[in-house]
Amino acid sequence: EPGKLVRQRVWTGSAPRDLNKFHRCPHVNGFKVDNWKQNLRVIYQCFVWSGSAETRKRKAKSCVCHMCGAHLNRLHSCLYCVFFACFAKKHIHEHAKSKRHNLAIDLLYGGIYCFMCQDYIYDKDMEQIAKEEQRKAWKMQGISASNTLCHVHCIGEKYSTWEPTKRELDLLRHNPKRRRITSNCTIGLRGLINLGNTCFMNCIVQALTHTPLLRDFFLSDRHKCEMQSNSCLVCEMSQLFQEFYSGHRSPHIPFRLLHLVWTHARHLAGYEQQDAHEFLIAALDVLHRHCKDDNGKKANNPNHCNCIIDQIFTGGLQSDVTCQVCHGVSTTIDPFWDISLDLPGSSTPFWPLSPGGDGSALNGESHTTGATTLTDCLRRFTRPEHLGSSAKIKCSGCHSYQESTKQLTMKKLPIVACFHLKRFEHSAKLRRKITTYVSFPLELDMTPFMASRPHNLSSLPVWNRYSLFAVVNHQGTLESGHYTTFIRQHKDQWFKCDDAIITKASIKDVLDSEGYLLFYHKQFLEYE
């Protein structure tokens, strides 16, 4: 829903989620006293859904911020007293802190926000009241259930969600062909035939087909193609997801995918061994170009695109260049699909790191063995770098060329963070593979590498935490090698995908692997 900030816990396996197992807000019970249901209904009737013309006039007149008088800025109402205030300007936060009123309701969408949990919350009883009052409001406005979605979409109020009826649920339960997802279910696991040095493609396909949000997108038929289906890579990916999750166990032959890749990324055409990282970027680029944004226009600019690829993979990299004379800072933000990290042993000098530095203990990595960690590589990537006298930049403050320092940080984190460990070194004098072992964690917190982060790292927010769900490995030399992938099917269940062969793997197998491409999925989603 546009304009509403939502944080959602993401399950990075294939099994369905049981909502009863999720942690619920413990602060709701303080509100559920006396006539709380009737009071909540009145708020929904008068200030949220406003079914009658009279209540809509009252809402327009009375719903203004009691601190600044603004009508907009995401107004919220305190659930304990009649107090309206801005969420964007944090006026409602000030009221909650001073009065110790922990719950407020979004007056546009009806969501309940808890200031103690610092998140929108779900409560079954409150949700039921919200739905009942919304239906009453729609009925008063003459909106039937059959045309609710169309009408509401047009007026820009709210998107309705589809829910199965009791009869539909009974039919599903008694359907003999119903697939039951269990902890040892193999649906989604399928090998890929090697068509001649195509392991580089197979390993990336395995990683993409096990990306949770990408899987949900394609399995819900969200792609509406306006191209010729035989030339659209997105259509082929949609078909590929159907094949993977069909329940068939025989290896799939991705010949149509290979043909489309050769057609749209000609530098990858042929049967020579290619780089898996290069294929990943080429595949995302073609998928991005073949997708449509919400306005139905070609999505040619990663900065202004709402296609599924950019929603999942695009982050923002902030570059701060600081003048050494006037200390003026020039900031630019560029989109990225992956982060390439230098390794010890390369010709690029590696930053000497002290054991136990920021982030290593936080991300569950240990320096006891002397191994380089993923956190080390990220600290090096985000460290300030002196550009030197040979790379002077014209300072807008000094109006002359001055020496400066440059620092890269994360301005916006993607839903899926892909880390490329630069194991292949190509230079005029040197062509070799770097086999340095890099320790990487199952869970990663990116807060220490953000452009703006809290001073006290011991009380970090959970919104920047990621879970590992795929690892691409390269075995062999620069001239002759083979790619395999570890993928996470369920929580703590890993499988090794070696072209057509899929075998069970342990967490130790995954973490002990060399690592070339590391795929992490955000644990909590935050979107407008």
Side-chain angles (χ1 to χ4, degrees), residues 15 60 125 136 138 151 175 196 221 227 237 266 300 317 322 324 329 371 436 444 471 485 487 491 515 521:
D125 298 329
K136 289 180 184 177
W138 285 344
H151 178 92
N175 191 325
D221 295 327
M227 298 175 60
M237 283 298 294
R266 295 191 177 277
N300 294 321
L317 188 65
T322 305
Q324 294 297 286
V329 180
T436 305
L444 176 68
V471 178
T485 310
I487 58 98
K491 182 175 174 60
H521 199 291

Side-chain angles (χ1 to χ4, degrees), residues 425-439:
E425 190 169 32
H426 302 272
S427 64
K429 298 180 180 179
L430 205 59
R431 290 185 74 254
R432 60 173 181 151
K433 178 184 175 183
I434 300 170
T435 58
T436 305
Y437 173 70
V438 176
S439 170

Side-chain angles (χ1 to χ4, degrees), residues 378-423:
L378 285 168
R379 286 168 58 202
R380 183 191 186 281
F381 182 80
T382 56
R383 84 196 192 285
E385 177 185 4
H386 185 67
L387 298 181
S389 57
S390 61
K392 290 184 177 180
I393 296 177
K394 189 172 184 179
C395 175
S396 58
C398 301
H399 302 290
S400 60
Y401 288 91
Q402 304 289 352
E403 291 189 23
S404 56
T405 59
K406 178 181 179 180
Q407 183 175 18
L408 299 175
T409 50
M410 309 296 162
K411 178 64 176 179
K412 176 183 176 294
L413 290 174
I415 294 175
V416 169
C418 175
F419 300 104
H420 166 226
L421 304 183
K422 296 163 71 173
R423 296 200 174 276

Side-chain angles (χ1 to χ4, degrees), residues 140-153:
M140 293 176 70
Q141 296 175 41
I143 306 172
S144 66
S146 60
N147 67 356
T148 294
L149 181 60
C150 176
H151 178 92
V152 174
H153 175 70

Side-chain angles (χ1 to χ4, degrees), residues 58-70:
R58 185 189 305 152
K59 177 178 179 178
K61 182 178 180 180
S62 60
C63 290
V64 296
C65 178
H66 288 177
M67 289 191 180
C68 67

